Amino acid sequence: MNNTIAHEVYHWYRHRLYAAIKHILRNEKFIACRCPADMSYPEDKEEWTDEQRMEWQANNLAPRILMPIQTFKIKVDELYKQYDYENNPLKIAVLTCIADELASFYGVSRQSALIRMTETGYPEAKSVLQTINEKDWHSYISREDVFYEYSTNEDFRKLLDTGKFRYVDGYVVINDEKYITTDDKGKATLSEYAWDNLNECTLSFSWQRIRRSKAKEVLPQIIFHRDNDEQDVSKYDSKQNAAVVELSKEMQKKRKNFEQNEEIHKRSTVDKNCWSYIYEIISIKGVSKPHFCNLTGLGEENYRKAESSLKTDPKVRTIVAIGVGLSLDIETVENMLKLAGRSFKDTPEDRALKFCITGLSGQSIEDCNDFLESLGYETLGTKERY
């Protein structure tokens, strides 16, 4: 109601002269605030009518009148702090609550508040808008849902293992700098272009209903109590995502990290032990000892073992920590494991470790440890975590 009032008042304020001219010059009856319910805008290269331009202007200005940018951003920041958005794992739920509070505060709809958020520097609000608009397919997916599908869907697991996609900001997105950037803290986040073009760069999922008592793996934890034995989880379909997967193949060839990994793939593992192979990788990556320790969470003694080509074999978790820290692909990590006489076993815990290399590719050692902790598994690295 408030949006409609602001819309019509704007017509009266800016467009009543047009109505008066139409009446005086052409003796036409024209009421500035009587809007057609089915107004459509022209396609690219089509001419706009005067009425279409006025309607477009009123539609765009009404929410800006109701939610002025300066005070609106102050209110949003206040709510982000109140809900501890940055540290809260339930991003979609928190954003929905924030949007509802904004809607109540400004007397607008939730959708209008979310759109205004995206216009004023909060692109993550698009993920909630998407859930409102979508029915059968969705792109936003929880980390737990991603891992469940990775554990139970061989097609999806094979796709993530290629390194063409990464899980960032609640989306399984093409692993390319066009879509993924880093924030001031070095954390991977979606680029502005990605937020504006989610359909182009993210995988979409359908919903499948599963009986918890018959699930193949431990289902993602549900936050609210449910009386029945059924739960909806996300399901990947290769046909639905064919176009995005094809685009990912084209873009993978252009990535710097891809080029480094390709250089590593060319290096033979013949007559090498695991630590000498690791040091060769460190050299290709151009990583110093302090940087190696910060990235992997491992102590300096591990760097020295690689530097001196120690013949003792590292453990699986040490290799995974190095793979995570140096952003190595699954092929390289599995080569390291083979040289150490080890491999990933077909167990839930080892799948979680492998998922850190594939699904969480490019994430920090801290993010991967948060994921492992959420499943009750031992974390990676030996350094004390703060």
Side-chain angles (χ1 to χ4, degrees):
M1 184 185 297
N2 286 342
N3 193 76
T4 301
I5 292 171
H7 177 107
E8 305 303 356
V9 167
Y10 187 81
H11 273 318
W12 176 250
Y13 172 61
R14 295 298 273 175
H15 303 145
R16 67 180 186 271
L17 180 60
Y18 177 84
I21 291 172
K22 292 273 282 188
H23 179 69
I24 294 169
L25 295 183
R26 301 182 184 176
N27 197 28
E28 295 179 12
K29 290 184 178 180
F30 188 90
I31 302 174
C33 60
R34 181 173 292 168
C35 303
D38 58 348
M39 172 65 74
S40 60
Y41 300 129
E43 301 290 336
D44 291 341
K45 300 185 180 178
E46 290 182 351
E47 290 292 328
W48 287 65
T49 66
D50 293 336
E51 287 79 7
Q52 285 173 328
R53 288 188 184 281
M54 289 187 292
E55 196 60 21
W56 175 86
Q57 193 176 36
N59 280 337
N60 281 275
L61 267 295
R64 289 166 170 80
I65 292 170
L66 296 171
M67 295 173 279
I69 185 168
Q70 291 183 335
T71 55
F72 182 80
K73 293 185 73 172
I74 290 172
K75 185 63 178 176
V76 175
D77 290 342
E78 174 189 303
L79 291 171
Y80 267 52
K81 185 176 181 180
Q82 177 183 320
Y83 282 92
D84 193 20
Y85 173 78
E86 291 300 325
N87 300 315
N88 198 312
L90 305 174
K91 301 296 186 189
I92 285 285
V94 169
L95 285 170
T96 303
C97 291
I98 290 172
D100 285 341
E101 290 215 26
L102 289 169
S104 175
F105 185 80
Y106 286 101
V108 297
S109 68
R110 175 197 288 175
Q111 190 167 15
S112 185
L114 287 166
I115 292 171
R116 192 67 175 129
M117 286 176 70
T118 67
E119 294 171 344
T120 54
Y122 305 91
E124 57 273 13
K126 291 180 182 177
S127 59
V128 185
L129 274 172
Q130 186 185 54
T131 61
I132 292 173
N133 295 329
E134 70 200 7
K135 292 182 180 178
D136 298 327
W137 295 91
H138 60 283
S139 294
Y140 184 88
I141 180 172
S142 71
R143 185 178 64 184
E144 292 71 25
D145 257 21
V146 173
F147 182 59
Y148 181 82
E149 189 65 358
Y150 179 84
S151 299
T152 59
N153 188 326
E154 187 177 356
D155 285 345
F156 184 61
R157 182 163 59 251
K158 286 180 178 178
L159 177 63
L160 285 194
D161 286 354
T162 64
K164 296 183 180 71
F165 288 85
R166 287 166 60 182
Y167 180 70
V168 179
D169 287 343
Y171 294 90
V172 182
V173 62
I174 293 176
N175 188 9
D176 187 85
E177 59 186 10
K178 181 177 182 180
Y179 306 117
I180 302 173
T181 184
T182 53
D183 60 19
D184 295 338
K185 298 178 181 178
K187 184 177 180 180
T189 185
L190 293 185
S191 67
E192 186 176 342
Y193 180 86
W195 281 116
D196 290 336
N197 298 274
L198 290 173
N199 290 336
E200 173 185 317
C201 60
T202 61
L203 296 179
S204 58
F205 301 83
S206 61
W207 292 108
Q208 59 177 329
R209 177 148 288 198
I210 294 178
R211 283 189 174 275
R212 292 196 291 276
S213 58
K214 297 183 179 180
K216 297 178 183 178
E217 299 280 342
V218 177
L219 283 166
Q221 183 179 1
I222 53 176
I223 305 302
F224 303 106
H225 175 73
R226 296 288 184 272
D227 291 327
N228 58 41
D229 183 44
E230 295 183 337
Q231 181 176 334
D232 287 333
V233 294
S234 300
K235 183 174 179 60
Y236 169 78
D237 183 284
S238 57
K239 293 181 180 179
Q240 171 69 20
N241 291 285
V244 181
V245 172
E246 188 60 35
L247 177 61
S248 73
K249 292 177 183 177
E250 296 174 9
M251 304 198 75
Q252 186 186 50
K253 299 174 184 178
K254 303 175 183 178
R255 293 204 328 263
K256 178 182 177 182
N257 194 55
F258 175 76
E259 292 172 357
Q260 287 181 332
N261 286 331
E262 284 296 290
E263 179 64 26
I264 293 170
H265 294 166
K266 293 176 184 177
R267 303 298 176 96
S268 172
T269 58
V270 177
D271 297 327
K272 292 176 185 174
N273 63 38
C274 188
W275 282 116
S276 65
Y277 182 58
I278 289 171
Y279 191 69
E280 193 169 3
I281 292 169
I282 292 172
S283 301
I284 292 172
K285 292 285 185 175
V287 177
S288 66
K289 180 163 60 177
H291 199 199
F292 171 85
C293 295
N294 287 332
L295 290 172
T296 63
L298 298 170
E300 290 187 6
E301 69 278 5
N302 291 279
Y303 186 92
R304 288 195 292 269
K305 287 177 182 178
E307 195 174 27
S308 59
S309 298
L310 203 68
K311 292 184 179 180
T312 58
D313 295 318
K315 297 179 179 179
V316 171
R317 267 188 158 70
T318 301
I319 291 173
V320 172
I322 293 171
V324 168
L326 301 186
S327 296
L328 303 178
D329 59 20
I330 191 64
E331 180 179 341
T332 302
V333 170
E334 288 183 334
N335 280 337
M336 292 160 62
L337 290 168
K338 187 176 180 180
L339 287 172
R342 309 183 191 281
S343 64
F344 287 120
K345 299 175 183 176
D346 189 21
T347 64
E349 186 169 356
D350 272 24
R351 277 196 292 273
L353 291 173
K354 190 176 181 181
F355 183 73
C356 289
I357 300 296
T358 56
L360 300 181
S361 169
Q363 301 285 345
S364 69
I365 195 75
E366 290 80 13
D367 288 334
C368 288
N369 280 336
D370 286 340
F371 165 67
L372 293 173
E373 278 185 330
S374 73
L375 297 173
Y377 298 138
E378 182 185 343
T379 56
L380 303 170
T382 57
K383 294 173 66 177
E384 183 177 352
R385 296 175 63 219
Y386 297 94

